[in-house]
Amino acid sequence: LANLPLSDAAKDSAYPYTTDFQSGTEQTRNLTTITSSDGYYSNSNLTSVYVGSNVTSLGTNAFFNCTNLTSVTLGNNVTSLGDYCLRSTGITSINIPDSVTSIGDGALDGAPLTSVTFGVNSGLTSIGSSAFYQSPLTSFTIPASVTSIGYYAFAFSNSLSRIECLALTPPTVSASFYYTPALSEIHVPAAATGYGTTYGGLTVVADL
């Protein structure tokens, strides 16, 4: 299994080893955490990575400034995306497994994201400050499990025009949606309580 090509390994989120392509050369490693000292930080040769299921966290700056990194697949035991871990990468989409409970400050700031997908049983509880700052996302669904959304989490995301929050009680916010000119409403479950008529500067629409 350790010699599976990345394209095959990435099909199975339970594959234990971390596999990457750098300058067209495949490398497989047995990692349990990924930190800024593991050789990925600001690595312009890195183009894709499968984060193995042996990995439980992406540390601060783990893949920061990997500008040519366009594909990241997360194994099913990652519990946290550390501060700035995928900041200024080239990824356009990411699937965040149910195991992830926190997205750190600036974790995906500067990435040209067009799609973020969470599992149906997402355990995510917190979205950090500036996590999706200046994101080109057009829509976003906040999982029901989220209890806090950090300062400037979606700020200056000029294309963001629809946001849904599945939480029945409102997560804490702190200028989380500052300067999102295309966004005026937040859609919440019809059974939700505590949002009031506005939430985070957005008009609350209870229609989910």
Side-chain angles (χ1 to χ4, degrees), residues 103 108 113 116 127 130-135 137 140 153-155 157:
I103 297 175
L108 290 147
L113 288 170
V116 177
I127 298 174
S130 301
F132 297 96
Y133 184 86
Q134 290 186 326
S135 171
L137 287 166
F140 193 92
F154 296 91
S157 295

Side-chain angles (χ1 to χ4, degrees), residues 51-126:
V51 177
S53 61
N54 284 348
V55 174
T56 58
S57 66
L58 303 190
T60 299
N61 293 329
F63 295 97
F64 173 72
N65 202 38
C66 292
T67 53
N68 292 314
L69 176 61
T70 58
S71 175
V72 173
T73 301
L74 299 175
N76 60 4
N77 286 318
V78 175
T79 61
S80 63
L81 304 184
D83 296 348
Y84 314 110
C85 64
L86 292 164
R87 184 181 187 183
S88 299
T89 58
I91 61 172
T92 58
S93 65
I94 187 168
N95 294 323
I96 298 178
D98 293 345
S99 56
V100 172
T101 60
S102 64
I103 297 175
D105 295 350
L108 290 147
D109 173 15
L113 288 170
T114 58
S115 172
V116 177
T117 305
F118 295 94
V120 293
N121 296 310
S122 176
L124 186 70
T125 60
S126 64

Side-chain angles (χ1 to χ4, degrees), residues 11-201:
K11 294 176 183 176
D12 183 0
S13 62
Y15 181 71
Y17 305 110
T18 294
T19 307
D20 65 63
F21 271 106
Q22 299 186 41
S23 300
T25 300
E26 182 180 308
Q27 173 183 224
T28 298
R29 305 164 70 188
N30 188 9
L31 301 173
T32 56
T33 61
I34 298 177
T35 70
S36 60
S37 61
D38 283 318
Y40 295 124
Y41 174 82
S42 200
N43 185 340
S44 61
N45 295 320
L46 180 67
T47 55
S48 61
V49 62
Y50 166 79
V51 177
S53 61
N54 284 348
V55 174
T56 58
S57 66
L58 303 190
T60 299
N61 293 329
F63 295 97
F64 173 72
N65 202 38
C66 292
T67 53
N68 292 314
L69 176 61
T70 58
S71 175
V72 173
T73 301
L74 299 175
N76 60 4
N77 286 318
V78 175
T79 61
S80 63
L81 304 184
D83 296 348
Y84 314 110
C85 64
L86 292 164
R87 184 181 187 183
S88 299
T89 58
I91 61 172
T92 58
S93 65
I94 187 168
N95 294 323
I96 298 178
D98 293 345
S99 56
V100 172
T101 60
S102 64
I103 297 175
D105 295 350
L108 290 147
D109 173 15
L113 288 170
T114 58
S115 172
V116 177
T117 305
F118 295 94
V120 293
N121 296 310
S122 176
L124 186 70
T125 60
S126 64
I127 298 174
S129 298
S130 301
F132 297 96
Y133 184 86
Q134 290 186 326
S135 171
L137 287 166
T138 58
S139 64
F140 193 92
T141 299
I142 299 166
S145 51
V146 171
T147 59
S148 66
I149 305 172
Y151 181 74
Y152 273 26
F154 296 91
F156 295 95
S157 295
N158 294 339
S159 299
L160 187 62
S161 60
R162 182 178 176 89
I163 195 158
E164 299 177 353
C165 184
L166 302 183
L168 292 175
T169 56
T172 59
V173 291
S174 179
S176 304
F177 309 108
Y178 179 77
Y179 200 78
T180 48
L183 188 66
S184 61
E185 300 175 338
I186 185 166
H187 298 261
V188 303
T193 59
Y195 283 92
T197 57
T198 62
Y199 171 76

